[in-house]
């Protein structure tokens, strides 16, 4: 009685984990295949990732949103999973570990936002 | 030898390699391990975005770094890991969903079909937009 429940910071991170998990399950493989394998190896034409094309994509509001969603949600999904797997590889978990991993995802998100602004419209 | 040697029946937690002894846990660790590759891939894209904001020469240097053998090997491993994540993600979905008015296996099949559809649409759009 009279004890206020301590608020957990988990729900927003869990939601971002879910969104990132869904996005990466749907388009993660095709993105990695395209940017990391097919274009560098010449299976797809080099112009697919030319400076002009990618710059035009990053300057388009929809393209900007897509790039931002992919980087931010992939980071939040990855960092949430890693922080919950630390125990399994024998690393102590706790508030410090959460701060480091979620902090990294938040930092990466802000960097992506700043770069997209710098690239302009 | 420490004189604080644990007594014979003291429980010691194993912290390395425990998951290799049971295929169920090996699959579990492969699934969780995909997170490392997903995060690293996000950082590769972030580096690309940074180089893009610095101009054409910088962007082309990033592209050249993607064509190195180390980068290719990383992306092949990452592709395998994220494909495994994708499959397991949709396999778990029926277990987390509320009561479904249809066979739960259809949710997994539907999710994988959606992933295949999205992949085809993205590849098609890329080929069309950069033709």
């Amino acid at each position: 009685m009279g004890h206020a429940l301590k608020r957990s910071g988990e729900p927003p991170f869990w939601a971002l984990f879910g969104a990132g998990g869904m996005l990466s399950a749907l388009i993660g493989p095709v993105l990695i295949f395209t940017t990391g394998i097919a274009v560098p190896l010449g299976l797809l034409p080099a112009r697919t990732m030319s400076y002009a094309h990618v710059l035009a994509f990053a300057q388009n509001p929809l393209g900007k949103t897509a790039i931002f969603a992919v980087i931010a949600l992939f980071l939040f999904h990855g960092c949430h999973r890693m922080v919950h797997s630390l125990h399994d590889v024998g690393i102590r978990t706790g508030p410090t570990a959460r701060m480091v991993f979620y902090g990294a995802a938040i930092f990466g998100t802000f960097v992506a936002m700043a770069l997209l602004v710098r690239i302009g419209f | 030898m420490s004189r604080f040697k644990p007594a014979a029946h003291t429980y010691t937690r194993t912290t390395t390699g425990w998951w290799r002894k049971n295929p169920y846990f090996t699959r579990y660790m492969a699934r969780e391990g995909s997170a490392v590759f997903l995060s690293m891939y996000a950082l590769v894209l972030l580096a690309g975005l940074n180089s893009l904001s610095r101009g054409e020469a910088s962007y082309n240097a990033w592209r050249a770094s993607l064509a190195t053998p180390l980068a290719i090997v990383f992306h092949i491993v990452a592709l395998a890991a994220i494909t495994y994540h994708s499959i397991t993600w949709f396999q778990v979905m029926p277990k987390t969903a509320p009561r479904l008015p249809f066979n739960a296996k259809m949710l997994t099949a539907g999710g994988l079909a959606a992933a295949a559809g999205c992949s085809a649409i993205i590849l098609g759009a890329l080929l069309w937009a950069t033709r």
Side-chain angles (χ1 to χ4, degrees):
Chain A
M1 263 184 9
H3 290 287
L5 280 173
K6 196 169 170 252
R7 263 181 195 274
S8 157
E10 195 65 11
F13 290 119
W14 203 85
L16 289 164
F17 158 79
M22 183 55 86
L23 190 67
S24 58
L26 287 171
I27 66 169
V30 74
L31 290 183
I32 295 172
F33 173 75
T34 305
T35 68
I37 299 170
V39 177
L41 286 182
L43 306 173
L44 282 170
R47 66 169 183 278
T48 311
M49 275 170 70
S50 71
Y51 178 71
H53 278 140
V54 176
L55 185 66
F57 185 71
Q59 287 181 333
N60 179 293
L62 280 177
K64 265 196 195 332
T65 311
I67 293 170
F68 179 71
V70 163
I71 292 177
L73 293 178
F74 281 19
L75 279 178
F76 272 104
H77 176 85
C79 289
H80 180 93
R81 248 192 177 162
M82 284 194 285
V83 89
H84 283 272
S85 298
L86 287 179
H87 176 79
D88 297 324
V89 289
I91 301 170
R92 182 182 281 274
T93 55
T96 313
R98 276 202 296 277
M99 207 129 78
V100 168
F101 279 84
Y102 290 137
I106 293 167
F107 179 71
T109 299
F110 277 111
V111 170
M113 207 186 288
L115 290 173
L116 285 165
V117 168
R118 188 158 98 167
I119 288 166
F121 288 87
Chain B
M1 184 62 88
S2 164
R3 63 197 177 85
F4 299 111
K5 204 170 62 148
H9 297 294
T10 303
Y11 170 70
T12 320
R13 187 164 63 97
T14 50
T15 52
T16 52
W18 59 271
W19 45 272
R20 283 192 213 103
K21 288 169 195 148
N22 181 328
Y24 178 84
F25 292 126
T26 309
R27 287 198 297 275
Y28 162 79
M29 286 303 265
R31 175 161 61 82
E32 299 302 303
S34 72
V36 177
F37 290 95
L38 192 70
S39 305
M40 283 167 79
Y41 179 65
L43 293 181
V44 169
L45 292 184
L46 200 57
L49 197 61
N50 180 42
S51 71
L52 186 72
S53 78
R54 285 166 194 273
E56 189 161 6
S58 171
Y59 177 74
N60 285 335
W62 176 71
R63 283 196 66 184
S65 77
L66 287 183
T68 57
L70 186 69
I72 300 283
V73 169
F74 163 75
H75 283 94
I76 290 172
V77 177
L79 176 64
I82 308 310
T83 304
Y84 188 63
H85 154 73
S86 180
I87 293 166
T88 56
W89 184 261
F90 292 119
Q91 281 174 343
V92 166
M93 255 177 96
K95 295 176 188 171
T96 60
R99 200 189 306 159
L100 297 165
F102 50 83
N103 186 346
K105 277 193 179 138
M106 281 173 67
L107 200 60
T108 303
L112 290 171
C118 286
S119 305
I121 289 169
I122 286 176
L123 279 180
L126 260 183
L127 287 172
W128 176 79
T130 60
R131 68 194 180 281

